[in-house]
Amino acid sequence: MSSVNENASPAQTWPELLDQLAAKAKREGTLKALSSAEGFTEKVRRVQEINGLRRKLVSWISQCSESAYGKSGGTASRLRDEGNLKFKRNDNLGSLKFYTESVICAPALGPELSLAFGNRSAALYHLGRYQDCLQDIELALKHRYPKNLEFKLHQRRGQCFVKLGEFDPAKAAFDLAIQALDLIPKLTPEKRDSLSRDIQALSVESVSISKSQTSLPEAWPGSIPPTFEPTNPDLPGATSSLSVKRDPEKGRFVVADEEVAVGQVLFSELPYASILLLDQYSTHCHHCYKRFYAPIPCLKCTQARYCSEDCRTDSWDQYHQHECAHLDLLHSVGIAHLALRTVEVTGYNNLINLKPFFNQITLSSTSLFPSGEPYRNVVDLVEHSRTMPPDEIFQYATTALLLTMYLSQRTSFFSSGSMSGLKLDPSLDVNEDSLDFIGGLMLKHMLQLVCNASAIYEVGPTKEASEDLNNAVSETEQRRIATAIYPGASMMNHSCDPTVINSFFNNRLIVRAIMPVAKGGEIFNCYGPHFRRHLRQERLTDLQSQYNFTCRCSHCADPKADFRLHGRFAAFKCSNCDGPIPDILKEAELTNQEDWHANQPCMDCGQARRSSQQIGDVFLGLDLFNKGQEMAARQDFSGAIHSFQKSLEVRERSLYKNHKDILETLDSLAKCQAMMGNFSQSAESLRKCISIVENRYGAVSIEVGHELVKFSDILEGQIADNGLNPKTAEALEAILKRASEILLLHYGNWHHEFQEVQEKLKQVSILLPPNK
Ligand SMILES: [Zn+2]
Ligand SMILES: [Zn+2]
Ligand SMILES: [Zn+2]
Ligand SMILES: [Zn+2]
C-alpha cells in the first residue's frame, strides 16, 4: 500500500495539500466509499481510514504551529524608545504607533507593559483621545506602574476629565496625584511643594472652567442601535412583529405579523459565531470588530488585539484560549475556521449534553431538543451536501478531521468543559466516539456555512471615487471585515428586489425595512444579486451556484422586463416620443435572447428606430467628453466646461435621457462648474444627475444619498457666495432631510456620514427664519 503523497512535491498551503490528498483518494477509490457513508460523523470516520492520512495531518499541524507571535520585553523596550523619540519631536501619531506596538509586544508580567501604557496615554492625551487615554492610565496602574511616577498618571487623568467636562472626578484625580507625591523616594520638601503647587493650579483652573461652562456638546441622541428582548426562540435578534412560517415547498421563511413601515428595524442580531479577517487585525477589535485607536493585546500572543478588557476576557473564555498562537493554521483553512469557532463557543460540555437530542445521521436537532437552546438555530440551518461533488465533500471532511485533531492535541477543548468555565463532568468520557461526533458537527457546519455565512462590512465611498474626477456616481465601497453566522436573519429568503437593507454596528447586524410590508407579507433579504445592479443571467447563475436555487422574483421571472430596465441606461432617444430605442450591442450583452432583432423600434411607442446620425453622435459625444477630461486634468476648467457642454448637447440630442453617458457628462460638468465657483450652474447640472441616478438605482439607494450630499455642498457654496437666500436655504434643508433618511437606512444613525448630515441640518435651521 502506498502512503499519502509519496512522490508529490510538499504542499505549501492547506488547499494544495487537500488537492493532493483528494487525488490520492480518487485513485484508491475511497471517494466512492465516502459518498456512500451515511451521515456526517460517518464521513469523517471514513476519511481517517485512508492509509497515512492522519500522519500527514499531524505533520501539517506541527508545521504550522511554530509561533512567531511571542512576547518580548526587549523588543517592547526598543519600540517604546522609538516612540519616545517621536513624542519629543511632537509627532504624536508617530509615537502612538510605536507605543501601541510596544504595548502589544510587552510580556504580561514585568515592567514593560505598564510603561508602554503610561507613555501611550500621553500621546493619546495630546491627540485629544481622552477616553482612550483614561483606559490606558487604568491599565498602566493595574500592571504596576513605577510608584515614583504614578503622580503623573493621576495628574493626566485629572486633565482628561477636565477636557471631558467631568469636574468632580477631575478634582478627585488631582487629589490622588498630590497624595502620590509621597510615593517618590528622597523627594526634597522644596521639590514636593513645587510639584504640589503645579497640580493645585490645574485643579483650581478646572473649578473655574466648570463654573463658566454650562452645556457641553452632546453626542447624537440614539446613536446606539436598538436591541430587542428575545421573544421568539426560532428567530433570534428579531422584533416581536416577525415570525417563522414553514411550507413543504419553500421551507422556512419570515413573515410580518403586523404591518411594517419603511425604516423600521426588524432585526438587531449579534452573531452566534464570527471570525475577523486577518488583514483587519491591526485596525479592529478581535472580538466585537469595533475600529480601535489604542488597542490592548491578548496577554499571551501579539496577534489578537482588543478594544477593551471586557472583549479580551470574553474572547478568551469563549474561543481564544483554544486558538491563541495558532491563528495562522486556523486562517489557512478558510471558512472551516468559523465552523471550529461555532463549536468552541457552544462548548464541549454543552455539546456532549445535547448529543442525545441529535438525529445521529443528519446531526439535525430532533423534536426532543431543548427549546430555547440557541445552538438549535445553527444546527437546523440548511446545507446541500446531497448535490455536492464527492471530492468537495472529501476536502471538507478532511478539514473537519484536521480541526478535530488540532482541538484534541493542541488545546484543552475536550477537557475544559463549557464556555461558562465549568470543569468537565468526569462521567463524560472523551473517547473516539466523542471526537467523531465533534468532527461530524464541524463538517456539517462547514457545509451550512457555504450558503449561510454572512459578510460583516464597513461602508463608505471609495477613496478613489471621492478623488476621481472621472467617476460619475460616487461609488460606495463595502469593505469586508469579518465572516459571521446570524441564525435569525438567515431565515429570510432572497429576492432581487428585497424588502430590507442590512447595516452593521460593529458585529451587530441591523436589518431595516426599505418598503412597507402588509400584515402577513413575507420579508425578503438580498443575498447579493440585486435587480438594479446585476443582470438577470448573472443573478440566476450566482444564486444557483452558491445557494442552490432558482430565483423566482418578478425581475427574474420576466427576462424582457429585466432588459427593459437595464436597456434604458444604454438606449438611443426616440425621435417620435423621446423614449428609449435599444442599443443592439448592449442588447446582445444584456439578454441571451434570440428574438431581439437588430434595429429594434422604440420601447415606448414602437414607432421610430435609431438613425445613422445617432450612431455618429455616440463617437462625437465621446470625443468632446474626452477633450473636456483632458482640460480638467490640466486645471483648465473653463475650457473643460465648454467642451463638456458641447458633449452634453450632442449626447442629449441622440441618447435617451437616462443614458449613462449623459450622467457622466453632467457629473463632470457639475464638478468643473463648482471649481470655477459657478454654484448655481453646478446645482442645475447636479439636479439632472440626481434624476438619472434615481432612475438607475432607485429613490432610496445609497447612490442617491451620496448625490444629495454632494448637492448640499454646492448649495452651501451658493449661500456662502451670494448671501442668504431663504429659498436656497429651504431647498438645502429639504435635500439634507432626504439625504439623512437614506443614510439612516443604509448606514444607521451611528455612522459618521449620517451624523455629518445631521450637523449640517442643525446649521441650516439656524439660517432659516424663525417662523419656519
Ligand atoms: Zn471589542
Ligand atoms: Zn492570544
Ligand atoms: Zn431574482
Ligand atoms: Zn418612441
Side-chain angles (χ1 to χ4, degrees):
M1 261 246 210
S2 67
S3 68
V4 170
N5 185 24
E6 257 171 350
N7 306 316
S9 59
Q12 297 301 312
T13 65
W14 177 244
E16 276 172 28
L17 179 57
L18 275 180
D19 281 341
Q20 291 178 1
L21 295 173
K24 178 184 151 67
K26 196 169 192 174
R27 280 198 305 276
E28 294 185 355
T30 348
L31 282 188
K32 269 216 185 94
L34 189 68
S35 344
S36 61
E38 261 226 90
F40 299 103
T41 308
E42 199 49 42
K43 287 187 201 299
V44 177
R45 256 185 215 133
R46 285 295 162 84
V47 167
Q48 307 187 51
E49 287 164 8
I50 298 176
N51 185 37
L53 188 134
R54 278 189 75 99
R55 198 164 6 101
K56 203 78 205 159
L57 299 190
V58 170
S59 86
W60 183 257
I61 293 173
S62 349
Q63 189 181 324
C64 290
S65 71
E66 280 154 63
S67 172
Y69 303 104
K71 306 273 188 186
S72 152
T75 311
S77 162
R78 187 179 51 74
L79 288 163
R80 187 163 46 84
D81 287 345
E82 294 204 39
N84 290 344
L85 278 178
K86 301 254 173 204
F87 189 73
K88 276 194 196 111
R89 289 192 218 114
N90 290 324
D91 178 2
N92 292 317
L93 265 181
S95 70
L96 178 71
K97 273 197 194 121
F98 282 105
Y99 290 149
T100 291
E101 291 313 311
S102 179
V103 163
I104 303 293
C105 286
L109 299 170
E112 281 302 329
L113 186 57
S114 67
L115 289 170
F117 277 128
N119 287 16
R120 191 171 70 173
S121 74
L124 288 168
Y125 179 80
H126 288 284
L127 287 161
R129 304 287 303 200
Y130 304 118
Q131 296 291 5
D132 288 324
C133 176
L134 287 171
Q135 173 166 296
D136 272 11
I137 292 172
E138 290 307 321
L139 289 165
L141 292 170
K142 202 169 171 176
H143 290 278
R144 292 188 224 120
Y145 197 67
K147 291 282 174 208
N148 57 327
L149 298 172
E150 220 183 280
F151 74 98
K152 287 191 182 176
L153 292 188
H154 292 299
Q155 178 181 326
R156 189 171 301 132
R157 185 201 256 155
Q159 288 171 297
C160 275
F161 282 126
V162 171
K163 294 283 187 187
L164 292 167
E166 294 171 36
F167 299 103
D168 291 340
K171 171 90 174 49
F174 288 129
D175 289 350
L176 272 178
I178 292 173
Q179 285 171 31
L181 293 176
D182 296 337
L183 301 171
I184 309 175
K186 296 187 209 141
L187 185 66
T188 62
E190 295 75 28
K191 185 75 185 153
R192 191 189 192 287
D193 280 350
S194 128
L195 285 171
S196 170
R197 265 198 307 276
D198 290 348
I199 298 169
Q200 285 287 359
L202 287 170
S203 186
V204 170
E205 194 186 352
S206 80
V207 173
S208 70
I209 302 174
S210 80
K211 282 183 181 140
S212 67
Q213 202 164 333
T214 47
S215 71
L216 273 159
E218 47 188 297
W220 175 247
S223 56
I224 301 285
T227 53
F228 303 125
E229 285 298 312
T231 48
N232 191 339
D234 290 341
L235 212 50
T239 170
S240 58
S241 49
L242 300 184
S243 64
V244 182
K245 290 265 180 314
R246 284 173 179 78
D247 179 296
E249 230 166 77
K250 55 196 268 191
R252 288 175 296 179
F253 56 102
V254 178
V255 294
D257 292 337
E258 293 162 28
E259 211 169 284
V260 168
V262 174
Q264 198 178 326
V265 177
L266 299 178
F267 283 89
S268 170
E269 190 181 4
L270 287 172
Y272 186 85
S274 58
I275 305 277
L276 184 66
L277 299 190
L278 199 51
D279 58 3
Q280 306 296 319
Y281 274 29
S282 60
T283 45
H284 293 77
C285 174
H286 194 72
H287 188 63
C288 75
Y289 312 148
K290 186 175 169 181
R291 207 173 241 286
F292 49 51
Y293 205 75
I296 64 167
C298 166
L299 291 172
K300 296 233 162 107
C301 71
T302 59
Q303 251 188 321
R305 303 174 179 205
Y306 300 95
C307 73
S308 66
E309 285 187 288
D310 284 351
C311 277
R312 176 167 70 192
T313 309
D314 291 349
S315 162
W316 183 265
D317 291 349
Q318 293 173 22
Y319 53 87
H320 190 62
Q321 57 173 311
H322 307 306
E323 299 188 358
C324 189
H326 296 287
L327 281 162
D328 285 353
L329 168 72
L330 301 179
H331 276 288
S332 76
V333 299
I335 194 78
H337 187 188
L338 185 50
L340 170 82
R341 196 165 285 180
T342 304
V343 160
E344 285 169 343
V345 300
T346 312
Y348 179 64
N349 222 8
N350 204 11
L351 288 168
I352 288 299
N353 287 331
L354 290 170
K355 196 173 171 226
F357 307 112
F358 276 97
N359 173 323
Q360 294 304 318
I361 302 292
T362 59
L363 294 183
S364 52
S365 69
T366 64
S367 54
L368 298 169
F369 212 89
S371 78
E373 163 58 50
Y375 186 52
R376 181 182 194 153
N377 298 308
V378 178
V379 168
D380 287 343
L381 292 172
V382 294
E383 43 80 16
H384 303 293
S385 56
R386 298 217 169 270
T387 54
M388 197 173 263
D391 60 327
E392 271 184 53
I393 300 259
F394 169 82
Q395 301 207 354
Y396 285 119
T398 307
T399 308
L401 176 61
L402 173 86
L403 293 177
T404 313
M405 289 166 63
Y406 163 76
L407 280 179
S408 72
Q409 293 170 8
R410 301 280 162 156
T411 78
S412 57
F413 177 78
F414 285 99
S415 57
S416 68
S418 73
M419 57 187 270
S420 59
L422 292 170
K423 278 277 166 270
L424 184 68
D425 183 341
S427 67
L428 300 169
D429 194 15
V430 185
N431 49 28
E432 285 301 312
D433 200 40
S434 316
L435 290 174
D436 292 343
F437 169 61
I438 298 294
L441 281 175
M442 281 197 280
L443 172 57
K444 170 158 180 162
H445 292 328
M446 281 175 219
L447 300 171
Q448 290 173 313
L449 287 166
V450 172
C451 49
N452 286 291
S454 314
I456 296 182
Y457 47 82
E458 277 188 332
V459 277
T462 56
K463 235 199 164 108
E464 299 78 26
S466 49
E467 284 161 9
D468 182 6
L469 217 64
N470 302 338
N471 219 316
V473 179
S474 52
E475 308 253 336
T476 55
E477 187 184 45
Q478 296 192 338
R479 279 175 297 270
R480 183 173 177 171
I481 59 168
T483 311
I485 181 159
Y486 294 99
S490 285
M491 289 290 116
M492 286 182 285
N493 280 327
H494 165 86
S495 165
C496 300
D497 188 5
T499 36
V500 299
I501 202 138
N502 301 325
S503 59
F504 293 90
F505 179 77
N506 303 329
N507 59 347
R508 182 178 287 277
L509 168 67
I510 305 292
V511 177
R512 280 191 169 84
I514 48 167
M515 52 175 88
V517 181
K519 187 177 168 179
E522 180 167 357
I523 309 288
F524 290 102
N525 198 0
C526 177
Y527 294 178
H530 190 279
F531 81 104
R532 287 189 184 275
R533 291 179 180 78
H534 307 91
L535 300 175
R536 179 174 175 273
Q537 203 46 53
E538 214 183 308
R539 302 197 301 263
L540 289 172
T541 314
D542 279 7
L543 293 167
Q544 188 63 49
S545 71
Q546 201 184 348
Y547 301 98
N548 231 23
F549 73 92
T550 305
C551 185
R552 300 190 201 287
C553 79
S554 62
H555 299 274
C556 288
D558 182 358
K560 288 194 180 170
D562 197 66
F563 171 69
R564 291 180 76 81
L565 174 77
H566 288 278
R568 276 167 194 261
F569 309 113
F572 291 101
K573 176 162 123 181
C574 169
S575 56
N576 185 37
C577 74
D578 289 351
I581 298 176
D583 178 338
I584 44 161
L585 291 174
K586 294 289 162 199
E587 225 174 79
E589 220 176 275
L590 290 171
T591 63
N592 288 329
Q593 300 278 317
E594 297 298 315
D595 57 338
W596 289 102
H597 312 293
N599 209 358
Q600 286 279 318
C602 168
M603 290 184 193
D604 286 354
C605 72
Q607 303 285 311
R609 290 165 201 274
R610 76 178 147 70
S611 68
S612 55
Q613 189 230 323
Q614 286 180 306
I615 307 262
D617 277 352
V618 170
F619 296 104
L620 181 58
L622 179 64
D623 195 39
L624 288 163
F625 177 76
N626 286 341
K627 281 199 180 110
Q629 293 284 65
E630 281 163 28
M631 287 189 256
R634 291 199 307 265
Q635 312 273 309
D636 173 9
F637 296 116
S638 61
I641 290 174
H642 185 69
S643 203
F644 286 140
Q645 276 168 337
K646 290 188 92 170
S647 168
L648 186 62
E649 207 175 287
V650 169
R651 286 176 162 179
E652 282 185 333
R653 104 185 147 205
S654 279
L655 303 178
Y656 180 61
K657 63 178 180 191
N658 289 334
H659 198 289
K660 58 180 174 38
D661 291 354
I662 295 181
L663 174 62
E664 149 190 285
T665 324
L666 282 166
D667 189 80
S668 301
L669 182 59
K671 277 178 190 151
C672 290
Q673 287 164 329
M675 284 295 197
M676 294 292 286
N678 300 334
F679 292 114
S680 55
Q681 286 166 17
S682 178
E684 222 21 71
S685 307
L686 264 183
R687 206 185 290 278
K688 290 191 196 165
C689 280
I690 292 174
S691 143
I692 300 178
V693 174
E694 276 172 349
N695 272 290
R696 174 101 201 235
Y697 297 101
V700 294
S701 64
I702 193 62
E703 286 85 355
V704 169
H706 286 143
E707 288 298 302
L708 291 169
V709 172
K710 238 194 265 178
F711 193 39
S712 73
D713 289 338
I714 299 297
L715 292 182
E716 278 178 357
Q718 212 177 331
I719 291 174
D721 249 28
N722 308 344
L724 182 66
N725 168 344
K727 267 233 159 76
T728 317
E730 271 174 40
L732 177 57
E733 189 185 38
I735 295 289
L736 287 171
K737 278 191 174 151
R738 241 191 100 192
S740 91
E741 278 164 24
I742 293 175
L743 290 173
L744 176 68
L745 284 178
H746 289 264
Y747 292 169
N749 54 0
W750 50 87
H751 195 275
H752 67 93
E753 284 187 51
F754 173 83
Q755 295 184 1
E756 277 158 29
V757 169
Q758 289 298 320
E759 210 35 61
K760 283 180 163 194
L761 260 175
K762 243 189 244 167
Q763 283 157 17
V764 185
S765 64
I766 298 168
L767 291 177
L768 283 169
N771 59 347
K772 189 63 188 70

